[in-house]
Amino acid sequence: DAISGVVLKTLPAVNEQRRLSEPNAQFVGIDPVTAADFNGLNDPDGNPLPADALTGNRVYITVRLSDDIEAEAGDMIAVFFDNQRVELEVIGIVRDTSLTSAVAGPGERFGGMVIHIDAARELINEPEGVTFLAVSALGGTRDSSEFSDGVHGRLELFIEAHPEAAADIVLTKQEIVALGELIGSIFV
């Protein structure tokens, strides 16, 4: 029911006013039009935030990054890419999710920031393409396999037809659910 291209990069983020930094912040460029279908930009209380507010160098930062560098809405933070400093305006705080922050290992997650995909491409000097393609199928956690199987098959055909994309399917919903069930069974 939704598909969106994303640009991902790990960049250092700095709150210069507080002299705090996160060397591994997840920098996420999204297309506000297609990303809105995922309903993934929510404030800490679960209220949706508008993706179309991401204009210019305006970003949402995650709760984790906000805590790490003590930044909040209205603050200016800096990121560095190729030894170039870029100032970003924090316009709000979003929940840490698989889209907005990065998992480094078991129990280790880095906060992130979300910016318009065009601004992200300009900042990292990659004017085209995406790093990650997010796909969502109708249904809930367990009742969507009939949709997921069809989507998975179509994605495999697309990847075969476009080897230049160097794409791969990393995890399917069924694999994520199975992993969750396995981990949950350890505690039963």
Side-chain angles (χ1 to χ4, degrees):
D1 68 317
I3 187 167
S4 185
V6 179
V7 172
L8 300 174
K9 198 74 161 174
T10 301
L11 298 176
V14 180
N15 181 341
E16 293 171 336
Q17 195 168 39
R18 297 264 189 207
R19 295 180 173 250
L20 294 171
S21 66
E22 169 51 65
N24 296 305
Q26 182 73 20
F27 183 73
V28 183
I30 65 167
D31 174 1
V33 174
T34 58
D37 294 337
F38 285 90
N39 300 316
L41 296 177
N42 296 302
D43 71 16
D45 296 323
N47 301 308
L49 295 172
D52 59 5
L54 297 169
T55 58
N57 281 3
R58 301 175 79 206
V59 298
Y60 289 123
I61 64 171
T62 66
V63 171
R64 185 173 307 273
L65 183 59
S66 173
D67 290 345
D68 289 345
I69 65 173
E70 295 181 9
E72 57 190 39
D75 287 348
M76 300 301 286
I77 62 173
V79 295
F80 294 84
F81 181 74
D82 278 349
N83 293 321
Q84 297 297 312
R85 178 184 175 280
V86 177
E87 198 167 76
L88 304 171
E89 176 190 358
V90 177
I91 60 171
I93 310 299
V94 295
R95 289 182 172 179
D96 286 87
T97 67
S98 57
L99 180 64
T100 63
S101 57
V103 176
E108 189 176 14
R109 179 179 282 277
F110 300 116
M113 64 202 90
V114 183
I115 190 168
H116 192 288
I117 194 167
D118 292 336
R121 287 175 173 155
E122 183 178 329
L123 189 142
I124 63 172
N125 199 25
E126 292 181 19
E128 296 180 6
V130 296
T131 313
F132 179 78
L133 192 61
V135 179
S136 173
L138 293 171
T141 303
R142 299 187 188 328
D143 64 349
S144 63
S145 64
E146 68 180 272
F147 299 113
S148 295
D149 291 342
V151 170
H152 188 222
R154 290 177 65 196
L155 284 172
E156 284 181 333
L157 290 173
F158 178 82
I159 290 168
E160 279 181 29
H162 297 87
E164 73 281 1
D168 195 9
I169 298 172
V170 179
L171 285 173
T172 65
K173 185 180 276 188
Q174 289 91 340
E175 291 167 336
I176 292 169
V177 170
L179 179 62
E181 288 173 346
L182 175 65
I183 292 169
S185 70
I186 295 170
F187 301 102
V188 176

